[in-house]
């Protein structure tokens, strides 16, 4: 436990029954995301999907815990490692996999791909591929909530690799200056692509940046999904009630490389194995069994249901019609008469 | 009514903000300072700090804020003090504003206007004298508007604010004080509709923004020699009113394109391509171009004049197009 960990306020305690149901649901979500990521990796290896594929395996507790603390009407803005966030915000594995397969039934009809998942109905505002470039945009979403006197909060996720990027600082700066209802969540997975933190940041505690921008701050380990939910929940309420933005750093780890083309030779096997002892998915399972006395057969049937859901999603993606040719020019401009083929 | 270009822009913003509470203005010095070029004069007093928002000098930050706010239903007008500073926000414009509709499969739109001064003024040096319209025209998803007169400035800005796509609205830094007749009441001008600024029969000059005034001055000189020039102002570069340009060239059979930007990959190069492709048989001479010289802008006054398009350069180009002078290499 670090210092800021001890100082952080705690969320409202819930009773044991509610806690169990909650953790069961969060476990299911994390497992679902992991299975979707594994299915994506498999399809990628089979050559069925293309492009870049950045998996969030190992980091599931961050997006699941954080988004579980938000309301349905709150907004989420993510990075290119955002499949989990998309699903946690209410998106379906079918939409994710179909998008990766380049199908018309994908979240963006095959126009976005792995890095650009969007869902208007779930208020999931994307998947962005330029590191740190989405942070000012997220501040703008929070700006709109404040402008309209709505109490929705924006959650903006980014990796430790975006901390040196200028746009991130401009976004943090404006959020602090204008008191925007936003929570900035740094998913610190220790590596900016293949470069470890100590070689990219002179000050490794990301939340040290908060004081210069008048942001509240919190920093904690991310393997416990309930802790993530509680701590992000505090920041969300602070944003909602006080319009006080917070910069959060969650310490986490990705078990795979930066993308599918990265064998991750820049770190030792021992290091990865050590982090796997804190894998959030089995940790949640153990807690359900030990602390909440959930019967194992209940977990087994939950896991079977998740497996079936992902298998069904893969079948859906594979059998869906390909993205439509017309969509290439249909969505460039609002006016359908403005056909880019003739401009 | 007679208005300056600056007042016309101010009226357009005020009228749209009165009409739609989702329209707001943000940028450097737009509020308390009353605008670096006084385009937003009086707007803070009229609409308050909630809707006329001074920003720190953080273009990537506040342009990005505009994009995010537009995605969830606001219609921000983001003022860049000059378009030179768009370069520090270019990721927000090109990677976010221009692409979000497409990347999201049409789920999200970005109805925002990014406006401010463009082009050379007087001796502002290399970093403050750029005409970057070609760069924005290159990017699918953006619309690019460059009005030359107060009436066009007002009518086009109102349409741009109501448009559901991101619009790059480049104002002529030296045009703000120009006076002109502006129609009373509503006169929104559709994006993509050009205008004949002077009718003529011997040669077409395609030009926009400040260059329209050079072309009109050149047309006066040429008229004294009995040469009748037609000045075509597309007003919007993207989408481009090619029909108007083609029909004028079909009438005059000769064409000069004048732009303040650099020649290589300039907007004029694209227009010339389209003309030769669509109305090849109508052309009686090669299309001439007048552009800035392909150099960063020098400071010294006589050097700046050497680099930028001028009326005498336009006159010379028309003479070449009419085979009254030797063609350029």
């Amino acid at each position: 436990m670090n210092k800021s960990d001890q100082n952080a306020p705690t969320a409202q305690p819930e009773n044991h029954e509610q806690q169990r149901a909650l953790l069961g649901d969060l476990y299911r979500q994390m497992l679902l995301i992991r299975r979707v990521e594994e299915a994506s990796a498999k399809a990628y290896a089979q050559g069925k999907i293309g492009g870049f594929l950045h998996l969030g395996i190992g980091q599931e507790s961050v997006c699941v815990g954080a988004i579980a603390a938000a309301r349905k009407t709150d907004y989420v803005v993510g990075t290119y490692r955002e499949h989990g966030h998309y699903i946690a915000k209410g998106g379906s594995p079918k939409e994710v996999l179909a998008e990766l397969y380049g199908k018309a039934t994908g979240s963006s009809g095959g126009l976005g791909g792995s890095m650009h998942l969007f869902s208007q109905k779930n208020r999931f505002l994307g998947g962005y591929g330029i590191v740190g470039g989405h942070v000012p945009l997220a501040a703008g979403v929070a700006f709109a909530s404040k402008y309209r006197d709505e109490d929705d909060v924006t959650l903006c996720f980014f990796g430790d690799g975006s901390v040196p990027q200028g746009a991130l600082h401009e976004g943090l700066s404006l959020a602090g200056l204008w008191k925007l209802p936003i929570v900035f969540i740094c998913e610190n997975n220790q590596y900016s692509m293949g470069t470890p933190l100590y070689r990219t940041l002179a000050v490794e505690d990301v939340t040290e940046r908060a004081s210069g921008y008048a942001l509240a701050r919190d920093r904690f380990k991310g393997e416990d999904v309930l802790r993530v939910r509680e701590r992000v929940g505090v920041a969300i309420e602070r944003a909602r009630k006080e319009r006080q933005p917070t910069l959060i750093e969650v310490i986490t780890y990705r078990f795979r490389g930066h993308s599918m083309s990265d064998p991750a030779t820049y770190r030792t096997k021992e290091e990865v194995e050590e982090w796997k002892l804190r894998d959030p998915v089995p940790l949640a399972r153990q807690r359900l069994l030990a602390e909440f006395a959930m019967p194992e057969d209940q977990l087994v049937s939950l896991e079977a249901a998740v497996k079936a859901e992902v298998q069904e999603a893969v079948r859906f993606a594979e059998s869906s019609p390909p993205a439509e040719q017309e969509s290439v020019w249909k969505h460039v401009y609002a006016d359908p008469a403005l056909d880019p083929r003739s401009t | 009514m007679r208005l300056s270009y600056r007042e016309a822009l101010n009226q357009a913003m005020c009228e749209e903000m009165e009409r739609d509470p989702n329209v707001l203005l943000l940028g450097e010095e737009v509020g308390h300072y009353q605008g670096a070029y006084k385009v937003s004069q009086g707007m803070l007093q009229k609409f308050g700090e909630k809707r006329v928002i001074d920003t720190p000098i953080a273009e990537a930050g506040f342009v990005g804020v505009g994009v995010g706010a537009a995605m969830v239903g606001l219609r921000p007008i983001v003022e860049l003090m000059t378009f030179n500073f768009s370069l520090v926000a270019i990721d927000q414009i090109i990677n976010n504003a221009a692409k979000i509709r497409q990347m999201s499969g049409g789920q999200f739109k970005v109805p925002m206007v990014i406006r401010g001064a463009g082009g050379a003024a007087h001796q502002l040096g290399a970093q403050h004298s750029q005409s970057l319209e070609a760069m924005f025209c290159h990017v699918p998803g953006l619309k690019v508007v460059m009005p030359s007169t107060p009436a066009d400035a007002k009518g086009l800005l109102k349409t741009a604010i109501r448009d559901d796509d991101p619009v790059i609205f480049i104002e002529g830094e030296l045009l703000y004080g120009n006076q002109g007749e502006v129609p009373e009441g509503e006169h929104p001008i559709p994006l993509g509709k050009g205008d004949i600024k002077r009718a003529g029969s011997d040669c077409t000059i395609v030009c926009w923004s400040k260059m329209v005034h050079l072309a009109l001055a050149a047309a006066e000189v040429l008229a004294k020699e009995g040469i009748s020039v037609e000045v075509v102002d597309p007003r919007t570069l993207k989408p481009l009113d090619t029909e108007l340009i083609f029909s004028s060239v079909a009438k005059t059979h000769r064409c000069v394109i004048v732009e303040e930007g650099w020649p290589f990959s300039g907007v004029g190069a694209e227009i010339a391509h389209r003309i030769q492709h669509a109305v090849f048989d109508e052309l009686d001479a090669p299309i001439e171009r007048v552009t800035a010289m392909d150099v960063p802008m020098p400071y010294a006054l006589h050097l700046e004049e050497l680099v930028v398009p001028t009326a005498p350069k336009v006159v010379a180009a028309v003479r070449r197009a009419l085979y009254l002078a030797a063609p350029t290499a």
Side-chain angles (χ1 to χ4, degrees):
Chain A
M1 287 274 160
N2 60 44
K3 190 158 158 272
S4 53
D5 216 325
Q6 291 160 1
N7 292 339
T10 51
Q12 292 292 324
E14 293 152 28
N15 67 42
H16 198 70
E17 199 59 33
Q18 282 174 330
Q19 286 269 13
R20 183 168 95 157
L22 174 66
L23 184 58
D25 180 51
L26 301 182
Y27 171 63
R28 188 194 58 79
Q29 285 189 49
M30 290 195 294
L31 189 68
L32 181 64
I33 291 165
R34 179 155 302 182
R35 295 289 176 258
V36 167
E37 296 289 58
E38 288 165 352
S40 307
K42 190 175 163 195
Y44 189 92
Q46 292 170 335
K48 291 178 177 172
I49 62 178
F52 292 135
L53 180 62
H54 309 91
L55 302 175
I57 291 176
Q59 303 182 206
E60 295 91 340
S61 52
V62 186
C63 59
V64 168
I67 294 170
R71 293 181 187 165
K72 264 199 104 63
T73 53
D74 290 335
Y75 299 97
V76 171
V77 184
T79 68
Y80 50 84
R81 197 184 304 285
E82 89 291 27
H83 304 166
H85 308 70
Y86 180 90
I87 291 171
K89 194 68 176 68
S92 77
K94 283 183 178 177
E95 294 160 344
V96 174
L97 284 162
E99 186 64 27
L100 268 52
Y101 273 76
K103 297 300 182 75
T105 52
S107 46
S108 293
L111 292 169
S114 165
M115 297 189 281
H116 308 302
L117 303 177
F118 288 81
S119 172
Q120 189 175 45
K121 67 176 188 292
N122 292 327
R123 297 197 163 185
F124 184 80
L125 271 68
Y128 295 89
I130 307 297
V131 172
H134 63 298
V135 177
L137 179 155
V141 176
F143 172 93
S145 297
K146 186 177 177 182
Y147 182 89
R148 288 192 292 238
D149 278 324
E150 293 166 351
D151 70 350
D152 302 315
V153 172
T154 299
L155 305 191
C156 175
F157 292 87
F158 51 90
D160 50 288
S162 63
V163 175
Q165 182 74 277
L168 175 131
H169 290 266
E170 295 193 23
L172 299 187
S173 165
L174 293 176
L177 180 70
W178 291 337
K179 297 278 171 216
L180 301 180
I182 187 164
V183 181
F184 297 105
I185 301 167
C186 176
E187 298 180 72
N188 178 353
N189 67 12
Q190 319 299 318
Y191 290 89
S192 144
M193 197 164 156
T195 306
L197 215 59
Y198 71 89
R199 289 207 288 123
T200 59
L201 296 178
V203 176
E204 289 187 35
D205 180 343
V206 171
T207 63
E208 286 284 339
R209 280 88 183 152
S211 59
Y213 303 127
L215 306 174
R217 60 193 272 201
D218 195 7
R219 183 176 197 243
F220 52 89
K221 292 174 183 164
E223 69 270 18
D224 176 358
V225 68
L226 285 178
R227 183 200 295 144
V228 175
R229 182 181 167 277
E230 274 175 31
R231 299 284 276 268
V232 173
V234 171
I236 288 175
E237 287 319 297
R238 184 156 52 222
R240 202 183 313 282
K241 298 202 174 98
E242 303 164 33
R243 299 256 158 87
Q244 170 58 54
T246 302
L247 174 59
I248 292 177
E249 178 182 1
V250 188
I251 314 295
T252 183
Y253 200 79
R254 62 170 153 73
F255 298 151
R256 302 290 186 101
H258 167 73
S259 69
M260 286 299 286
S261 57
D262 169 23
T265 52
Y266 42 80
R267 56 190 194 186
T268 63
K269 214 173 168 177
E270 292 71 34
E271 179 185 308
V272 179
E273 289 310 313
E274 199 189 313
W275 276 97
K276 279 189 176 169
L277 299 174
R278 285 182 270 155
D279 184 337
V281 180
L283 272 183
R285 190 182 201 276
Q286 284 156 23
R287 246 185 115 179
L288 282 166
L289 286 169
E291 201 176 319
F292 293 98
M294 187 176 269
E296 177 127 32
D297 59 346
Q298 206 173 318
L299 283 168
V300 169
S301 71
L302 176 154
E303 288 151 4
V306 164
K307 190 178 173 188
E309 183 177 352
V310 175
Q311 282 173 342
E312 173 53 27
V314 171
R315 267 195 299 276
F316 173 81
E318 295 196 339
S319 62
S320 282
E324 295 158 19
Q325 276 197 24
E326 291 72 33
S327 68
V328 170
W329 53 83
K330 217 166 75 181
H331 300 302
V332 182
Y333 295 104
D335 180 359
L338 199 61
D339 186 337
R341 289 170 299 172
S342 65
T343 53
Chain B
M1 91 198 100
R2 224 169 149 72
L3 290 180
S4 69
Y5 188 89
R6 167 188 289 119
E7 290 163 338
L9 293 165
N10 181 288
Q11 272 196 4
M13 289 194 284
C14 288
E15 288 176 18
E16 291 307 298
M17 284 178 68
E18 277 156 14
R19 193 184 58 80
D20 182 352
N22 288 322
V23 179
L24 61 130
L25 173 67
L26 75 164
E28 293 152 5
E29 313 290 1
V30 296
H32 290 274
Y33 191 87
Q34 306 289 308
Y37 293 93
K38 303 290 174 248
V39 176
S40 57
Q41 182 113 43
M43 288 178 66
L44 175 70
Q45 286 68 28
K46 204 176 251 175
F47 298 103
E49 286 185 335
K50 187 184 164 186
R51 299 181 68 194
V52 179
I53 301 151
D54 282 322
T55 67
I57 302 172
E59 283 86 0
F62 67 78
V63 172
V65 163
V67 176
M71 284 177 80
V72 292
L74 299 187
R75 291 186 172 272
I77 306 167
V78 177
E79 178 173 312
L80 292 171
M81 196 181 292
T82 81
F83 262 90
N84 300 290
F85 314 144
S86 71
L87 295 173
V88 283
I90 207 71
D91 177 54
Q92 297 303 321
I93 300 172
I94 296 182
N95 275 316
N96 290 340
K99 292 181 175 52
I100 281 167
R101 176 182 287 278
Q102 168 92 343
M103 291 196 301
S104 69
Q107 293 182 78
F108 289 95
K109 60 183 181 180
V110 183
M112 74 186 291
V113 176
I114 301 172
R115 50 155 290 272
H122 293 302
Q123 291 189 271
L124 301 183
Q127 294 183 334
H128 281 74
S129 304
Q130 301 175 94
S131 300
L132 299 170
E133 55 266 31
M135 200 179 70
F136 294 109
C137 285
H138 191 59
V139 180
L142 299 178
K143 293 176 176 172
V144 182
V145 180
M146 294 191 70
S148 62
T149 66
D152 287 352
K154 184 175 175 188
L156 287 164
L157 184 52
K158 287 176 74 91
T159 312
I161 292 167
R162 296 177 195 185
D163 198 273
D164 274 346
D165 295 314
V167 178
I168 303 296
F169 195 96
I170 305 177
E171 298 153 9
E173 190 164 338
L174 291 180
L175 299 181
Y176 284 128
N178 280 15
Q179 300 277 325
E181 204 55 41
V182 176
E184 299 279 346
E186 287 280 301
H187 78 292
I189 299 169
L191 306 188
K193 279 275 168 263
D195 184 38
I196 307 244
K197 289 290 192 280
R198 177 186 174 118
S201 54
D202 296 331
C203 182
T204 299
I205 301 180
V206 181
C207 50
W208 50 92
S209 188
K210 193 168 71 190
M211 297 301 100
V212 169
H213 303 282
L214 294 191
L216 290 171
E220 280 299 313
V221 172
L222 290 158
K224 291 189 182 111
E225 300 173 19
I227 298 167
S228 165
V229 161
E230 178 146 298
V231 177
V232 177
D233 176 4
R235 304 192 286 199
T236 303
L237 295 180
K238 200 173 191 181
L240 182 68
D241 190 349
T242 47
E243 287 312 310
L244 185 71
I245 295 169
F246 297 161
S247 66
S248 176
V249 172
K251 183 171 75 174
T252 65
H253 309 295
R254 292 161 201 275
C255 184
V256 172
I257 303 166
V258 186
E259 67 183 300
E260 201 182 343
W262 295 300
F264 200 100
S265 303
V267 178
E270 177 66 25
I271 295 174
H273 161 74
R274 287 175 186 230
I275 292 170
Q276 63 81 26
H277 195 260
V279 289
F280 185 75
D281 288 340
E282 299 287 357
L283 286 170
D284 285 348
I287 296 166
E288 291 288 337
R289 291 176 68 198
V290 179
T291 69
M293 206 180 278
D294 207 2
V295 297
M297 190 66 75
Y299 161 74
L301 182 60
H302 66 292
L303 296 180
E304 183 177 84
E305 282 172 356
L306 187 70
V307 166
V308 298
T310 59
K313 291 179 190 174
V314 177
V315 168
V318 171
R319 289 201 180 112
R320 288 196 301 272
L322 289 160
Y323 293 140
L324 299 171
T328 47

